[in-house]
């Protein structure tokens, strides 16, 4: 039986994936900061679910991940869905650093822990992570978020290169959805080309089964990301990017939280 660890599984994509896999008889270890929804999932699937409270910004997160791996008797797949994202038009340094701590430092902390687990045991491993189409270009209204998603994508590239250099048998999948409508998205906010969790879940499952190296979800976002890459920076940096409707707060007002394009875990 395959054993899957899902980081960032208290809601949204991570929770939906955990529920889908457990319902199909897959052993899953799930983790997030808050445990109430994970505990409920454990009660529904007591033979297939274990959970652990893990904050990926804390230094004890690798130790707790290893404890969760022990709970389910090993790990074949590590799936990372933990992240935060919101507008910070006032460029409050603390809010920018919070995003960087979670999406970059926390991302690296957990992926390198998973990598070392597979490498040190000398076993075949598989690491999949939710990044974002936002990593295609730096976006002014999502400055820290889009930058950290580019970091995530390059970090996966670097680990894959290291795996080949070391002869480690580890595969990687970089999953890049666009905007996803989840319970944490404010009901009065509409985002371009929104998708539901139910809509994207078959794409994620297909990417995991095929071990796709990069999976952009869905075809509309794949087209848009391709166009973005062709826009010269001299033009891109002069474009005004509108993210949602109604309008986002103007500079000088406290910015309302804005969900990341694909994630909605418990740190939002």
């Amino acid at each position: 039986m395959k054993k899957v660890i899902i980081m960032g599984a208290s809601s949204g994509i991570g929770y939906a994936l955990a529920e889908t896999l457990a319902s199909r008889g897959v052993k899953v270890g799930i983790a997030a900061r808050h445990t109430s929804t994970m505990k409920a999932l454990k009660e529904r699937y007591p033979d297939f679910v274990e959970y652990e409270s893990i904050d990926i910004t804390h230094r004890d997160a690798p130790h707790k991940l290893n404890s969760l791996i022990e709970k389910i008797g090993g790990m074949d797949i590590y799936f990372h869905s933990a992240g935060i994202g919101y507008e910070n038009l006032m460029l409050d340094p603390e809010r920018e650093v919070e995003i960087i701590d979670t999406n970059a430092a926390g991302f690296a902390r957990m992926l390198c822990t998973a990598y070392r687990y597979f490498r040190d045991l000398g076993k075949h491993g598989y690491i999949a992570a939710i990044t974002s189409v936002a990593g295609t270009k730096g976006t002014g209204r999502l400055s820290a978020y889009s930058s950290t998603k580019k970091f995530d994508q390059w970090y996966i590239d670097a680990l894959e290169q290291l795996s080949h250099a070391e002869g480690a048998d580890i595969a990687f999948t970089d999953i890049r959805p666009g905007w996803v409508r989840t319970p944490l998205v404010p009901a009065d906010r509409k985002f371009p080309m929104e998708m539901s969790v139910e809509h994207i879940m078959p794409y994620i499952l297909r990417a995991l089964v095929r071990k796709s190296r990069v999976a952009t979800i869905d075809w509309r976002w794949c087209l848009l990301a391709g166009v973005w890459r062709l826009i010269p920076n001299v033009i891109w940096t002069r474009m005004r990017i509108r993210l949602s409707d109604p309008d986002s707060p103007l500079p000088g007002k406290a910015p309302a939280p804005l969900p990341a394009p694909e994630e909605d875990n418990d740190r939002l």
Side-chain angles (χ1 to χ4, degrees):
M1 179 189 298
K2 290 287 186 182
K3 298 178 178 66
V4 182
I5 295 289
I6 303 174
M7 189 64 58
S10 62
S11 63
I13 295 171
Y15 181 87
L17 179 61
E19 184 178 34
T20 299
L21 295 179
S23 69
R24 299 183 182 187
V26 177
K27 188 78 171 180
V28 292
I30 55 179
R33 285 199 312 159
H34 303 304
T35 62
S36 57
T37 56
M38 297 191 297
K39 181 180 178 182
L41 191 63
K42 163 71 173 174
E43 291 171 353
R44 288 172 56 196
Y45 301 101
D47 296 330
F48 300 105
V49 174
E50 298 291 346
Y51 68 92
E52 185 80 33
S53 175
I54 299 178
D55 187 330
I56 65 173
T57 67
H58 290 180
R59 291 186 176 182
D60 66 352
H63 173 72
K64 289 188 173 183
L65 172 57
N66 287 323
S67 296
L68 181 57
I69 292 171
E70 290 182 10
K71 281 185 181 180
I72 66 171
M75 177 173 69
D76 299 300
I77 301 172
Y78 176 80
F79 187 92
H80 192 94
S81 184
I84 60 173
Y86 42 74
E87 287 179 321
N88 184 18
L89 301 183
M90 297 177 69
L91 290 180
D92 178 348
E94 292 305 314
R95 301 194 91 192
E96 294 290 272
V97 169
E98 181 186 23
I99 295 172
I100 293 167
D101 282 347
T102 302
N103 294 358
F107 184 92
R109 177 178 287 115
M110 304 319 294
L111 260 69
C112 73
T113 301
Y115 180 97
R116 290 173 60 184
Y117 171 84
F118 293 128
R119 182 194 62 188
D120 294 350
L121 288 180
K123 65 176 291 183
H124 172 68
Y126 182 28
I127 296 174
I130 298 287
T131 66
S132 175
V133 293
T136 307
K137 285 281 191 180
T139 304
R141 285 178 173 263
L142 294 171
S143 51
Y145 180 80
S146 59
S147 301
T148 55
K149 288 306 174 178
K150 187 61 174 180
F151 170 90
D152 294 348
Q153 292 165 5
W154 283 24
Y155 195 78
I156 292 172
D157 290 347
L159 288 185
E160 184 178 34
Q161 184 188 64
L162 182 63
S163 174
H164 288 304
E166 295 184 328
D169 187 15
I170 304 174
F172 297 86
T173 291
D174 177 354
I175 300 172
R176 304 175 182 180
W179 299 107
V180 178
R181 170 61 55 175
T182 68
L184 292 185
V185 176
D188 63 345
R189 303 292 292 276
K190 289 292 293 182
F191 301 93
M193 298 191 297
E194 268 187 5
M195 301 175 290
S196 67
V197 172
E198 293 76 18
H199 173 75
I200 71 168
M201 194 50 54
Y203 290 92
I204 292 175
L205 293 172
R206 189 178 305 121
L208 295 178
V209 170
R210 296 177 178 177
K211 292 188 176 179
S212 305
R213 180 56 185 81
V214 175
T216 301
I217 304 173
D218 56 10
W219 67 268
R220 299 167 301 169
W221 286 99
C222 190
L223 265 177
L224 184 58
V227 171
W228 281 352
R229 291 190 188 94
L230 298 177
I231 300 175
N233 278 342
V234 68
I235 296 176
W236 176 262
T237 54
R238 286 163 174 76
M239 294 175 64
R240 295 188 177 186
I241 306 299
R242 184 185 179 93
L243 295 176
S244 65
D245 194 15
D247 290 336
S248 301
L250 296 174
K253 298 181 180 179
L258 176 68
E262 83 295 334
E263 297 156 303
D264 64 322
N265 70 17
D266 60 352
R267 294 189 61 82
L268 268 179

